[in-house]
Amino acid sequence: MPHYKLTYFDVRARGECIRMMFAIGGVPLEEKRVQLQDWEGLIKSKATPFDALPMLEVDGVKIAQTLAILRFIARETSFAGHDTITSALADSLADQYADFVMAWMPWHMVNVGFAPGDKDALYDSIYVPARAKHLPYFEAALKNSTTGWFANTAELTHADVFIASGLEWLMALDKNADTIFAEFPLLGAHSKKFFAHPKLQKYLAERPDARF
Ligand SMILES: N[C@@H](CCC(=O)N[C@@H](CS)C(=O)NCC(=O)O)C(=O)O
């Protein structure tokens, strides 16, 4: 088996789906958690391909971009869908969720204090409309599923890992997190099903606490 090393910040955010996919796949993962004060030095030393994290090293080969990493390890562990159409469907759902993340990122940066601005104004002008546009897409996908997983698969795929961990991230950020699933009961049920997955329990019990 290759040696896998994940470099990410000491938060869940974009890195958590990768950690969870490794846990579900039962593959050992070495982790390097970068502290914010060390990040400038890593950029200057060109340590990552695109000056961003997460980065996965596979026997020393550096792979960047969250979804590329997630799809790779899902394929390696047979969680990427059982045929190419199913994989493409899972990809499209995960990519759409990534679009959702990019839509609320300007609010997030201010909300957590990484950029100046009025976080309450951005909550209303950026985050709320992004949520109203995107979450119905995922609720509709679950309505079409007979298994409760996004790509209508018997076992979960990387789309389920990406979206459930993404919603957990969002719930850590949203001041009204308890209302997120009010209009999206199938998404709420999906989250419950995902976080009850038997292959995730040990990881969930042992993972470090995080602000988001
Ligand atoms: N599309 C990229 C985005 C990566 C990204 O923006 N990562 C953030 C952390 S979540 C980062 O490295 N920020 C530091 C910086 O841009 O200097 C991915 O999904 O991996």
Side-chain angles (χ1 to χ4, degrees):
M1 187 183 285
H3 180 80
Y4 297 103
K5 178 178 170 187
L6 176 68
T7 304
Y8 191 59
F9 296 104
D10 195 14
V11 290
R12 293 180 183 161
R14 281 189 169 96
E16 197 63 7
C17 61
I18 297 167
R19 298 176 182 128
M20 286 177 169
M21 194 74 254
F22 271 93
I24 291 166
V27 176
L29 175 65
E30 181 192 342
E31 277 208 66
K32 178 175 175 183
R33 287 176 178 251
V34 175
Q35 302 305 317
L36 273 185
Q37 64 270 21
D38 300 328
W39 176 232
E40 281 303 311
L42 277 182
I43 292 190
K44 284 199 185 102
S45 65
K46 293 277 164 213
T48 69
F50 308 133
D51 295 334
L53 296 175
M55 172 179 76
L56 183 72
E57 289 167 81
V58 185
D59 284 342
V61 176
K62 294 179 175 181
I63 303 171
Q65 287 287 352
T66 312
L67 278 172
I69 296 168
L70 184 68
R71 272 191 284 261
F72 166 71
I73 198 62
R75 277 196 300 266
E76 293 295 288
T77 53
S78 305
F79 282 97
H82 48 276
D83 57 38
T84 52
I85 300 250
T86 308
S87 292
L89 194 56
D91 284 350
S92 78
L93 285 153
D95 285 347
Q96 186 61 37
Y97 196 88
D99 282 2
F100 174 44
V101 173
M102 289 316 291
W104 53 253
M105 197 47 62
W107 157 69
H108 173 48
M109 297 305 279
V110 173
N111 189 48
V112 297
F114 291 165
D118 181 340
K119 64 180 180 182
D120 291 324
L122 291 171
Y123 183 92
D124 293 335
S125 66
I126 299 272
Y127 168 63
V128 170
R131 195 177 67 182
K133 171 178 157 71
H134 288 266
L135 289 195
Y137 299 146
F138 303 105
E139 186 76 2
L142 288 173
K143 212 169 182 178
N144 287 330
S145 169
T146 57
T147 64
W149 297 125
F150 273 109
N152 200 21
T153 43
E155 181 50 284
L156 57 71
T157 68
H158 53 294
D160 298 288
V161 180
F162 190 67
I163 296 168
S165 70
L167 284 168
E168 184 192 44
W169 176 17
L170 196 54
M171 291 188 75
L173 305 172
D174 185 345
K175 60 186 175 184
N176 299 311
D178 52 336
T179 65
I180 286 185
F181 295 133
E183 289 172 52
F184 307 106
L186 298 178
L187 268 179
H190 175 272
S191 252
K192 276 208 181 89
K193 181 176 164 79
F194 175 77
F195 282 99
H197 195 289
K199 292 190 166 152
L200 202 52
Q201 299 314 302
K202 185 171 183 293
Y203 174 77
L204 292 178
E206 293 174 357
R207 69 179 172 167
D209 283 338
R211 185 175 153 219
F212 58 82

